Every structure is written in C-alpha cells, then in structure tokens.
C-alpha cells in the first residue's frame, strides 16, 4: 500500500512539473531560424506558421502530418492565405500520424535541406512532448518553441476543466512513455547485437 501511495505521489508531482513546462504566453518577437515547422492537428498552427514565414522568420515552412491528397494550394485555401510564396517556400510531409512521426519526418527533411535551426509551432499543451521528441530526433538542431493557444483548452486552472484535465493527463502520460520507449529500443538493439556476435 505504501508503495502504491508513493508511486501516486511521484506521478502527481511529475504531472504538476509537466504542467509547469507548458508555455504560458505568446512569443512576441521570435528569433530567426533556418526553417519553420508546423505540426498539424490543431487550430491556429498553420496560420501562425504562415504568418512567421511572411515575417521572414525562416527560409521555408515545413508542415508535418498532412493528410494524403492535400496539396499546398489546398492548405492555403483552407487557411485563407495568399498562395504568393507557396511553391518556393512551403513543403508538406505526409508520413507522420503522431508526434514521434512528426519528429522523424522533420528530421529527414531537415537533413535533406541542411538546416541547423527551426521554429517549432504547435499547441501550448503539446509543446513539452513535442520538444522532447524533437530533441531526441534532432539532437544537433536548435529548436525554438513557438506555441499557439487554442481557445477551447483552459490551461489556466486546468484541473477545473474536465476536458482540459483529461487532455493534459493524456499528454503527460505520453511524455512519460517516450523515454521508456527509447530505453526499450536501446536494450532491444543491444540484445540483438550481442546475439548477432
């Protein structure tokens, strides 16, 4: 019983630490970077990425996790943006369907482009886990977080809003799983190499 209580306290303490990592305010004047990366899956993300591109904050915009069959022109139409720079400056990634996939897909694109820094655009509650996955996939790349703040997610006093609380607990759980997944992969690869020897 004492062990269960201790684990619960550790889990709860970690949850509040995680919540403390969620950005609280918009970045007013972001740094310049080689590229801007937008993770699809939420409101305001694409519009923010396009706005950063129009400000010259990055040379190109990469949108990760786009549905098959959607092209740049369609994205511009949906976001009600002018297609002025679409052909030269926007690239789409179609292979990712989760955050780890976003990081892996972006890493391949970054390597092909030869970039060394990115501005990462995603929702505030999604940013801690995104930074964790991207830092693992892109250890030598500078990552500048640029959160957006969906109106339906009430991160201020989140525990009073059941929908937001479930969303944050889900993100926290996935945040904890990521290092365990890397450890398991490392151990599995080590065992395979030992067995092969």
């Amino acid at each position: 019983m004492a062990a269960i209580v201790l684990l619960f306290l550790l889990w709860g303490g970690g949850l509040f630490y995680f919540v403390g990592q969620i950005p609280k305010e918009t970045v007013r004047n972001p740094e310049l970077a080689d590229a801007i990366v937008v993770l699809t899956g939420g409101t305001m993300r694409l519009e923010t990425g396009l706005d950063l591109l129009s400000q010259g904050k990055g040379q190109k915009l990469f949108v990760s996790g786009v549905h098959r069959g959607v092209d740049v022109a369609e994205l511009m139409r949906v976001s009600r943006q002018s297609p002025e720079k679409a052909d030269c400056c926007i690239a789409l990634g179609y292979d990712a369907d989760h955050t780890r996939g976003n990081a892996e897909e972006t890493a391949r694109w970054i390597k092909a482009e030869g970039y060394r820094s990115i501005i990462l655009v995603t929702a505030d509650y999604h940013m801690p886990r995104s930074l964790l996955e991207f830092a693992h996939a892109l250890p030598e790349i500078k990552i500048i977080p640029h959160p957006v703040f969906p109106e339906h997610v009430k991160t201020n006093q989140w525990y009073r809003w059941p929908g937001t609380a479930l969303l944050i607990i889900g993100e926290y759980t996935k945040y904890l799983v990521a290092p365990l997944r890397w450890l398991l992969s490392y151990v599995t690869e080590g065992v395979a190499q030992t067995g092969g020897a």
Side-chain angles (χ1 to χ4, degrees):
M1 188 67 182
I4 293 173
V5 171
L6 179 60
L7 285 173
F8 180 77
L9 290 174
L10 288 172
W11 181 88
L15 174 61
F16 279 91
Y17 171 81
F18 173 81
V19 171
Q21 305 308 303
I22 297 175
K24 301 297 188 291
E25 58 184 10
T26 303
V27 180
R28 298 190 182 279
N29 187 25
E31 300 177 49
L32 295 177
D34 294 330
I36 302 153
V37 176
V38 170
L39 309 187
T40 58
T43 59
M44 302 167 56
R45 300 183 191 185
L46 180 59
E47 292 85 347
T48 299
L50 290 167
D51 184 52
L52 290 169
L53 181 65
S54 70
Q55 293 177 42
K57 296 298 183 179
Q59 301 171 38
K60 285 188 178 181
L61 169 65
F62 182 67
V63 186
S64 176
V66 178
H67 291 296
R68 292 281 176 184
V70 176
D71 60 12
V72 172
E74 175 68 7
L75 278 182
M76 301 297 276
R77 185 188 66 77
V78 169
S79 62
R80 298 177 183 174
Q81 299 283 333
S82 167
E84 184 178 332
K85 293 187 176 181
D87 292 336
C88 72
C89 305
I90 301 176
L92 307 181
Y94 297 98
D95 295 334
D97 55 9
H98 45 61
T99 307
R100 173 168 54 104
N102 291 138
E104 293 169 351
E105 178 176 68
T106 301
R108 292 191 294 271
W109 183 77
I110 290 292
K111 183 177 180 180
E113 295 289 332
Y115 291 148
R116 306 297 301 168
S117 61
I118 63 170
I119 296 173
L120 181 61
V121 180
T122 191
D124 56 344
Y125 65 87
H126 188 230
M127 188 61 78
R129 184 161 63 94
S130 299
L131 289 173
L132 189 71
E133 294 282 8
F134 272 70
H136 181 75
L138 296 161
E140 298 179 357
I141 300 300
K142 182 178 181 180
I143 303 169
I144 304 165
H146 192 93
V148 299
F149 299 86
E151 291 183 2
H152 67 281
V153 180
K154 313 294 185 182
T155 51
N156 185 28
Q157 295 187 328
W158 57 275
Y159 46 85
R160 298 179 59 187
W161 306 90
T164 297
L166 287 173
L167 181 64
I168 288 177
I169 289 171
E171 281 294 313
Y172 172 56
T173 302
K174 294 174 184 177
Y175 183 89
L176 293 177
V177 166
L180 295 177
R181 187 183 70 242
W182 301 332
L183 178 61
L184 179 61
S185 176
Y186 176 78
V187 170
T188 303
E189 289 175 6
V191 170
Q193 290 175 0
T194 303

